[in-house]
Structures are given as structure tokens and as C-alpha cells.
Amino acid sequence: MNLSNQNYTPGSSQPFIHNNEDEIDLKVLLFNYLQFWPLIFAFMLVGLIGAFLFNRYSNPIYSVQSSVLIKDEQSGLSMDLFESAGFGLQGKNNIENEIGILKSYSLAEEALNELNFNVEYFSEGLIRDVQQYDKLPILVEVDWDQPQIVGGLFEVEVLDNNSFEIKIVKQEFSVFNPDDPFYKSKLDKEIELKKSVYSFGEIISGENYSFKIEQISALQGEKIQFKLIDTPSLALKYKDALTVSPINKQASILNLGLETPVRKLGEDYINKLMEMYLQRDLDEKNRASESTVIFIEEQLSGITQSLESSETQLQKYRTENNIFNLSEEGAVIFERLQELGKEKSQSELNLKYYQTLSDYLVNNQSGELVAPSIIGVTDPLLNSLVESLSQLQAERIRLRTNYSDELPAVRDNATRIENTKKALKENVNSAIQNTRNVIADLNNRISSIERDVNSLPETERNLIGIQRQFSINENIYVYLLQKKAEAQITMAANMPKNSILDFAKSGQIPVAPKSKLNYLIGLILGLILPIGFITIKDFLNTKIEDPKELEHQIKVPLIGMIGRSNTDDNLPVLNSPRSTVTESFRSLRADMSYLSANKEKLTILFTSSISGEGKTFVSMNMASVFALMGKKTILLGLDLRKPKISEDFNMPNDIGMSTALSSNTPWRNTVKKTSHADLDVILSGPIPPNPAELLLQDKFTQIIEEIKEEYDVVVFDCPPVGLVSETKELFALADINFYVFRQGYSMKGNTAILNNLVEKGGVSKMYGILNDLHIDKGYGYGYGYGYGYGYGGNSYGYHEEVQLPWWKRALKRKS
């Protein structure tokens, strides 16, 4: 028969195979936690109460939503030409760039500069303060042009319609300096106001603060709290709080969201942010028209004076020489000169534009470029390059607003700008040279016609010259005025390319606190915390608790489990024969028939690692259970250092084994009768000075042999093998050796002592017993027959039944 610790189940009459160890582990784990159910229930209740209080007294948070349509740019001739040139400019808006603009610090700052968010007002509540935004009882006006203390909390109590009392509630102040707005210095000293009572409209000033409070609708006795916040801090706060995302991957509609405890405040902020976003887009479009108007006005300022001078000269000459019209021949010549002069003026204006554009490129100037088409340049490639450069520069401004220069998109933008400038420089240089050639050709043609003028009378020749100069200036002046009007009309007609689909609107139901989720979190925390504590406690526990774990650790079979007695009686077998503990000893006795088959007489040894593990309790009751079945049994108290048997049998320890070994007293004279006819006891006797030497002498072996001859069952109650050495010599005298462990008492390291005895000490027929097993630990169910009986008052079956708790009965029914 194989009695290895892998397949032997104590308390059964045959080997038993564990087929479902995972299920057993879960049951054991469940029972281990259920014994602490009051603690777990209390924590879960506290968690639910905490969630209720959090939901009840937290400020509700609302979600404010809006949407913006990002329109695609229409691809035109200039874009097609630029794409064909290989510069790779995308014709559509980059949605990620637009998201970056909407979430940028600069746009948030622009929006906040238009709003009055720098003062937050609160009304004091019983548990929490409530922020006020609309219909304020007072208005705090702050002078942000000088350093101001920010971050702390003031409280105003209205005394009457003309005065109020102010005090500082929280001193967590920092100093905001408008000259260095991004670096606030924390105040180490407390701020003290010069006085506590002020009049409404009176300036409250001191070191690093200056503001005044105006009365609006505050009532006498009303208390209002407020704190000052600088715009850079607000911009960072709202920048991080704003969420911007496309409705899906294919759409160019962006959703803007903000969570805030004040719905109207969130709506005002998002609406203003979208307004500034569209205004920025419009400003970028208008910059090109504004640059065109400025360029034209610069040209007009020079031509106006020339036009006035030539007009005055023409009138004077006509008056003085009494000539108003040219002859037919002179009119033809003048018309030819006027046409060539007009062409020359246009070419000179184009040349001036090309030179301005060349200086812009050579000097790496910034700002908007004047479109060539505005001046009358019809070169499609030049128009395309200028338009593309303007778009790339606008994109660079947007990217640098939100990203560093090391970002790949920024570097790519810079590369495309350089490539575009290079191509534009080559085109402009070629245009300058071509224009100069055109002007030179026109000059030659004009000189040729001027030779025909010499054939006219002197008066007519002079009139043609003066009238020609006036006509040239007039044509240029009219042309520039026309172009200026066109630019102004374009600027007036400009509209943002993007548009608002939905203005900001707040939801009616708060998004936080999430009541159901908080209850769930409170419940889970109330469950996890005690379970975690129990798990850590068990993990750090160095005592033996789980029989299954003990069975896996020892190198011998775990042959029996002895439950905890529900009385103080250490002899339940004799005094309570129907108790469950007695039944566990009967079960162990039945198992021994397989350990010592076909033996009429039996010697059994009980030992343990240390004192207190119950080896004496087990040995006394094991001897008693054999005596009850009619076996002539003797119990030997061999623990000569710390005798205990005499107390439990109410016998004086005046004579015993130490007496027989240290004197000539026959061992039979040391035998004492018990209340049961078949059970005798030899006590340990008076404590000798040399207990180890007494047990190791030959006389002891001879006494044991004689005792074996007279008794059917001999039970050794030996001293702990982990503390004394003589027990090791006694193993050879026994037929069966039992090593006793005690649940919740024996150290897990004690299993090494038993394993060393078997592996290195050569002890054979060694078996383990787990004493004081109590079912409250949760290890009694599903492990084997021996666990079903004998665990204190919580038993079932045929012996002194005690009602189990409801949860144990329910689990038993399921199993």
C-alpha cells in the first residue's frame, strides 16, 4: 500500500486521489475570508457611506460642448502649379494643426483678456463653497498693471449699503508681476490689510495689491468670498481643461468640450474662444489686403505731388501761350507717346514691386507679402509662389505658437519655406531682368517718336511734353486708386474660412460626481482593503494553518487531523466518548491498522518540534482510544524534563520512569492504574538532573522490552525532538512514530526538522499529525473524511451536533 503524502487521505479507509485541487484551494480561500465577514461587511458599509457623502457634498461638474466646421481650401490654379513644381504643399487644412490652435495658450489668453475671469466669487455653504458667476452681489475691480497678490482667499461681509468688512481667510498668496507674468514668487510672510472696514468704491491698496469693491446687490450681513487669479495661470488652466477632437476620422468637424462646475461660465468661455479663433483666421486673411493697401498708399504719396505739379504747369502753359488743343499731327504723336508712356509706367511700377519683393527675400523680412496680381503682374507661376509662401509662413506662425522648433512638422515647414524662397528668388530675378529689357525697349521707341515731335512748332512741342507728363501721372494715380479700392473691397468681403456649427451648450445632468461609479468604487474598496489586509496577514504568517500546505511541505504522509476540543478537558476520549474530538482519535486508530498490518502488539511514539504543540494531549487520548476497544494499553511519560501527564490524570508525580531508571525500583512498582481497567500509566517521575543519560542506558531498553511483552499497546509520550537529543534514540524502539504539529502554533520552519529526521537521520515509519485543527479557519471542507469530524463545536454527523453558521451550512449544501 502506497502511503505517500501525495495520495493518502487521512481518515479514509483507502487511498484517495485529489482530482480537483483548484476547487479545494478556492474553498479553503473562501472559508479563510468568510471567518472575517463582520470586518469585511463593516468596511463595505463604510465604503458605501463614504461614497454617499462624496456624492452628496461634491460640487457637481457639467460638460459644456460646441462644434466648429473646418472648411477645406479650394484647389486653384496657383495651388496646382505649386504642386506640380514639387513642393508638396497640401491643399487641405491640417486638422491636427487646427486642434493645436484651439488648444493653444495664446488663443486661451486672447479669449480670457476679453472675459472677466480674473476674480472668482464663492458663497459659503455648510459643507462646501459654491462658485458664483452670474448675478454677482459685488464686483471686484483689480489694477492688473501693477503687481498683485493672487491665490489667497478674501472674505467680504456687507455691513450696510455703503461699507463692508474684509478679511483674509487663506494666506496662500503669490505675487504676480505684469513685467514678468510667467514667474510668480511665493510670499513667505502673511499679508495684513491696513484696516478691516472699507467703503464701497474705496481703493484697497498695500504692498503688492490694489483693488476696489463695488456694491451691486449685496444685502446687509451677506458674506462673499473671492480670490484673484492672473491671466497666465487662467490660460494654462483652461488650455489643459479644454478637449478638442474630430467627431470621426473622416470628418472635418471638431467638438470642443469643457467640464466646469459653473455652466454659464463654461459656455461664455467656449463661445469667446471660438470667436477669437475665427477672428484670428480673419485677421490672417486681412493682413495680405492691409499690406497691399499700405504698399499702394506709399506709391500714391509720391505720385500725388508729381500729378499736382504737372497739372499746374499744364494750366499755366496753356494760359500763357493761349493754346489749348494740339494740331491733328500733334494729337497723333501725343496719342502714340501717351500709349508708350502708360506701358512704361506700368513696367516701372512692376519693376518697383519686383525690387521690393527681392529685398524682402534677400533680407529675410517677415510680414505679409503683396500679391503680384494686385499690382497687375499676371505671371501665374510668380503668383503661385507668392501665395504659397504666404500660406507656409502663416502655417509657421500657427505651428510655432504650439510646438517647438524641433518638431518634425516645424522642421518640414521650414524646409518648404526655404525651397519656396529659392524658387521665388530665381523667378523674381528673371522678372527684374525682363522688365528692365522691356523698359529699355520702350525708351527706344519713345525716343524714336520724340524725333517726330521736333518737326512740330516749338509751342506745340512744349505742350505735348507738359501734357504727356501730366497724362502719365494721371494714369498711374487712377490705376493705383483703382487697385487700392479693389484691395479694400477684398478686405471688407473677407470671411473666416471656418465657421461655428453649434454654440456652447451645457448638459442638464452633471457628469461628475458619477454616483453609481462612486458607490461601486466604495464597495470595491470596502471589499479590497480588508481582504488585502487578511491576505498580507496570511502571507506574513509564519505559523502552520493549511493542512494541504503542511502535507506538501513534509516528506512523510500527513496521517491524521485532531480537532480543537470545545472543553477544557484534556481527556475527551475517556470523559466525552461521543464528542467529535473522540471520533477523530477513533479515525486515527483505524488508520493505524494499515500502518502496522498483522501486528498483535503495537508500540507508538509521539513527539513534536517544541513544547505546546499537543503531543502529550494526543498520546494520552490515543492510549485511551486503544484502551476503550479492550486493548491492554500503557502510556509512558518519557518527557523527564517537563512532565504533564500526572496533572491530567490527577496523579501525584512521586514515582515514575525516572525512579525506575535511577534506582533499583522495579518498573512494575511505578505503574499506576487509571479509571479505565485497560489503561495503565507510567509517569515521568521526579525530574532528574540527567534525563538524557537515563533514557540512553541499556536498562531503559530492557524495561521497554519487558513492557512490550505485557501490554498490547505501548504509547511513548516523548520530549520535543526539536529541543532535546534523546528522542532521536527512541525512534528505533517504536513500531510507528508520529510527529505532532499544531495549527496556528507550530512554525512553518518546523517541517524542516521532520524532513531532516527522515532524509538524514534515517528514521522510518514516521507520520505527521495536525493537532488543534479548527474548522473556523476554513480548512475542514472538501479535504477528506477526517476533516468532517471533530473540529470543536462546529461539527456534524453522529456526534453531539452543534448548529453551524448559516454561511457554512450553505456552502456545505453546495458541496
Side-chain angles (χ1 to χ4, degrees), residues 2-16:
N2 186 359
L3 294 177
S4 71
N5 62 335
Q6 301 300 321
N7 64 358
Y8 181 77
T9 303
S12 63
S13 58
Q14 58 182 350
F16 179 81

Side-chain angles (χ1 to χ4, degrees), residues 71-76 78-80 82-84 86-98 387-392 395 398-399 409 412-413 416 420 497:
K71 295 180 181 178
D72 295 334
E73 292 283 4
Q74 298 297 324
S75 179
S78 61
M79 294 298 300
D80 294 337
F82 190 70
E83 291 287 346
S84 65
F87 297 104
L89 182 66
Q90 298 178 353
K92 292 186 177 182
N93 285 288
N94 189 333
I95 295 296
E96 293 298 325
N97 286 348
E98 300 303 319
E387 180 182 353
S388 301
L389 181 60
S390 297
Q391 292 179 3
L392 287 170
E395 183 182 358
R398 289 195 298 266
L399 289 173
D412 179 63
N413 173 266
R416 287 191 288 170
T420 306
K497 68 176 182 294

Side-chain angles (χ1 to χ4, degrees), residues 38 119 141 178 245 252 261 338 353 357 398 509 511 539 570 594 596 610 640 661 672 689 729 753:
V119 182
E141 298 179 359
S245 60
S252 58
Q338 186 180 24
Y353 170 75
L357 185 58
R398 289 195 298 266
I509 300 176
V511 296
F539 177 77
N570 285 336
Y594 299 101
S596 58
I610 59 175
L640 305 183
L661 292 175
K672 295 190 176 184
E729 305 296 331
I753 301 175

Side-chain angles (χ1 to χ4, degrees), residues 319-388:
T319 302
E320 290 177 352
N321 296 279
N322 198 22
I323 182 171
F324 296 97
N325 294 316
L326 296 172
S327 64
E328 184 177 347
E329 182 181 3
V332 172
I333 294 173
F334 176 76
E335 185 177 351
R336 291 170 58 192
L337 285 173
Q338 186 180 24
E339 186 67 28
L340 291 174
K342 184 177 180 180
E343 292 181 18
K344 180 182 176 183
S345 299
Q346 180 65 51
S347 297
E348 288 176 343
L349 183 62
N350 291 350
L351 180 62
K352 186 176 293 185
Y353 170 75
Y354 292 144
Q355 290 173 340
T356 302
L357 185 58
S358 178
D359 293 340
Y360 178 93
L361 297 173
V362 170
N363 298 326
N364 288 319
Q365 296 177 6
S366 59
E368 290 294 334
L369 290 169
V370 177
S373 58
I374 298 295
I375 307 302
V377 178
T378 58
D379 185 354
L381 180 57
L382 182 64
N383 275 279
S384 170
L385 290 171
V386 171
E387 180 182 353
S388 301

